[in-house]
Amino acid sequence: MHSTTGLRLGVLTGGGDCPGLNAVIRAVVRKGIDQHGDELIGFRHGWRGVLEDIHEPLDIDSVRGILPRGGTVLGSSRVNVFAQPGGVDSVRATFERHRLDGLIAIGGEGTLGGAKELGDHGFNVIGVPKTIDNDIGATDQTFGFDTAVRVATEAIDRLHSTAESHHRNLVVEVMGRHAGWIALHAGLAGGADVILIPEQPFDIDEVCALIRRRHARGRYFAIVVVGEGATPKEGTLEVAPPSVDEFGHERLGGISRVLEREIERRTGYETRSTILGYVQRGGTPTAFDRVLATRLGLAAVDAAHAGSWGMMTSLQGTEIGLVSLAEATAERRRVPLEEYARYGSLFG
Ligand code: F6P
């Protein structure tokens, strides 16, 4: 049943993929078409699809069966409009060609930052936050995080039994470029003996002391969970600098190798590392992520029909609300150090 005048809305997914993206697309399309008689145009490969006008119509049939699927049916990229010569003009041309009333951009800090800037240039954009890292500001949780924590926890459980059998330390590296939410939650859920997060530079001597204490207590193995963005305290360990992409995002992965080497060298206990990597991002979303993503998608359509351009849908407690893209992209949501400190007695 159509209740308002239909809009012509573009939809894109940008940045690293994340379980739940398809649930948002489905909710946007179902509600937009069924309730408002909207016309939905899916842009492929994130902002690249808008810049180069690579698109496809989205109708009810095109979103059938996608709710439980990982990844994004629209594809994604890490292209930044503002890093491309003539980027804003190309976006304007695409908006005009399709007579778009607005665009729903589903993405992380890079995609939402681009959405905010386009809003400053007069474009009608609404953001929907996604990231497994859970580090977007002004929303209490992002979809994808619950799935990533589930995958990482299951991996830690599996690594526990092999670590114990071999009397080895196992260093498990999880994703989280700037925020240690995955490391903290999966580490806590998996009963890790040491959890290292990007927010708190680590002291390798303290890490080794915790492992030695555990041995002294008769536990001859330890699980160390490290967020990929964790760094040693300045001047304590040599770590090679990472490369960066168009948004200035660092390409991480490898701190667990440094820890593996140093823990074994300093304690004399056999130590191995495992990088979980993209397995945390792939595959079907948990029920929680499907529901959160669906709610955020429905709210994005409401926001478009309310003319709330320049806003982002957000989880606030148990409710879905709207915050400005400016506020959402002003600061990352990182693990507060007092929250991290609360779990100190569980380590070692
Ligand atoms: O931002 C999400 C994330 O999964 C980070 O945890 C990770 O550092 C990054 O994406 C890797 O993304 P890619 O290799 O796809 O650029």
Side-chain angles (χ1 to χ4, degrees):
M1 190 60 144
H2 302 173
S3 63
T4 54
T5 320
L7 298 175
R8 291 179 63 80
L9 295 174
V11 184
L12 69 82
T13 52
D17 71 346
C18 172
L21 286 168
N22 288 326
V24 182
I25 298 168
R26 170 179 175 270
V28 166
V29 171
R30 298 281 304 235
K31 180 157 189 171
I33 293 176
D34 265 1
Q35 196 162 330
H36 301 289
D38 294 338
E39 277 186 61
L40 279 308
I41 295 141
F43 288 97
R44 297 195 55 80
H45 322 305
W47 289 116
R48 184 156 88 78
V50 182
L51 288 169
E52 299 174 20
D53 197 5
I54 312 169
H55 66 275
E56 63 190 58
L58 288 173
D59 57 21
I60 304 279
D61 270 346
S62 55
V63 297
R64 284 207 198 284
I66 69 171
L67 175 64
R69 279 171 57 190
T72 159
V73 291
L74 289 176
S76 193
S77 73
R78 290 200 185 274
V79 168
N80 178 357
V81 170
F82 293 89
Q84 308 298 320
V88 176
D89 292 337
S90 304
V91 173
R92 185 162 289 115
T94 300
F95 261 68
E96 285 170 2
R97 197 172 303 118
H98 293 281
R99 291 176 288 107
L100 290 183
D101 294 301
L103 179 73
I104 295 175
I106 312 161
E109 41 149 3
T111 307
L112 297 172
K116 191 241 157 226
E117 275 194 66
L118 285 171
D120 295 343
H121 283 75
F123 292 93
N124 289 344
V125 187
I126 284 165
V128 176
K130 72 84 221 180
T131 166
I132 64 164
D133 291 3
N134 200 30
D135 62 352
I136 309 275
T139 185
D140 289 342
Q141 189 164 326
T142 51
F143 65 83
F145 172 64
D146 186 64
T147 306
V149 169
R150 155 97 42 114
V151 171
T153 303
E154 197 184 311
I156 294 166
D157 286 348
R158 288 174 185 279
L159 292 168
H160 243 109
S161 63
T162 171
E164 185 166 13
S165 305
H166 287 269
H167 287 181
R168 278 175 182 154
N169 302 313
L170 278 177
V171 183
V172 190
E173 182 171 320
V174 299
M175 280 185 163
R177 197 187 267 136
H178 304 285
W181 293 111
I182 299 176
L184 184 62
H185 282 231
L188 288 174
D193 306 296
V194 180
I195 299 175
L196 304 175
I197 61 174
E199 290 84 346
Q200 173 76 73
F202 65 84
D203 180 334
I204 187 69
D205 290 329
E206 280 171 20
V207 172
C208 293
L210 285 169
I211 293 171
R212 282 197 203 92
R213 187 177 77 168
R214 203 171 140 75
H215 272 243
R217 288 172 168 177
R219 301 293 278 162
Y220 302 115
F221 70 97
I223 300 287
V224 178
V225 174
V226 58
E228 62 179 352
T231 51
K233 277 192 176 149
E234 217 180 312
T236 56
L237 274 181
E238 273 298 307
V239 181
S243 57
V244 293
D245 71 10
E246 270 189 17
F247 287 103
H249 292 154
E250 293 170 337
R251 185 166 177 180
L252 298 171
I255 188 65
S256 57
R257 303 267 187 254
V258 176
L259 284 158
E260 171 191 67
R261 189 187 64 223
E262 287 301 317
I263 292 170
E264 183 163 300
R265 190 174 72 80
R266 288 163 191 247
T267 63
Y269 307 138
E270 196 182 357
T271 305
R272 300 283 167 88
S273 61
T274 300
I275 300 179
L276 296 187
Y278 297 100
V279 72
Q280 295 159 95
R281 252 169 49 180
T284 191
T286 59
F288 178 91
D289 281 337
R290 294 181 199 186
V291 174
L292 176 57
T294 299
R295 294 176 76 201
L296 293 169
L298 296 175
V301 174
D302 290 339
H305 283 271
S308 301
W309 308 114
M311 305 296 277
M312 182 188 86
T313 57
S314 104
L315 180 66
Q316 299 163 10
T318 56
E319 300 300 315
I320 303 292
L322 289 179
V323 291
S324 71
L325 277 166
E327 186 190 339
T329 54
E331 216 180 318
R332 286 193 188 96
R333 211 176 70 83
R334 306 182 83 200
V335 177
L337 292 184
E338 55 289 6
E339 166 77 1
Y340 178 60
R342 190 168 296 141
Y343 304 108
S345 54
L346 301 171
F347 301 159

